[in-house]
Amino acid sequence: MLKRTRLFGQKTRVTFALPVDEPSGTVSVVGDFNDWLPGRHELLRRRNGTRTVSVILPPGAHRFRYLATGGVWFDDDHADHVDGQGSVLHL
């Protein structure tokens, strides 16, 4: 799930959320906004049964994917577009 919150100016806070147990292990969101560096935006466990991380992004298109323990890459069906190169958000 993706939640977008407009901030002052042109920026948007995007919250990336997944179920707490699927997939198992550590999950990071990696994308062009963090130089595709795993672990920089790791999803953390929340009391409501999810794990989330928020990133503040400027306007434009942003490509991302999730990386789980064991090198498992996957996309977000809630993104604006998904193709063979990953998920895309248009802000």
Side-chain angles (χ1 to χ4, degrees), residues 7-81:
L7 302 175
F8 294 105
Q10 302 247 344
K11 297 192 178 197
T12 302
R13 177 186 303 118
V14 178
T15 301
F16 300 88
L18 295 173
V20 74
D21 57 353
E22 290 183 37
S24 62
T26 302
V27 178
S28 293
V29 62
V30 293
D32 54 16
F33 49 84
N34 64 13
D35 294 325
W36 296 93
L37 293 174
R40 194 167 202 186
H41 291 104
E42 183 179 321
L43 281 76
L44 302 176
R45 182 183 204 110
R46 307 296 176 199
R47 290 184 198 176
N48 66 0
T50 65
R51 52 187 160 175
T52 67
V53 67
S54 294
V55 180
I56 297 174
L57 299 173
H62 301 280
R63 188 171 288 279
F64 73 96
R65 297 192 82 198
Y66 295 104
L67 177 60
T69 300
V72 177
W73 290 92
F74 60 100
D75 297 308
D76 194 317
D77 294 337
H78 296 100
D80 297 327
H81 180 74

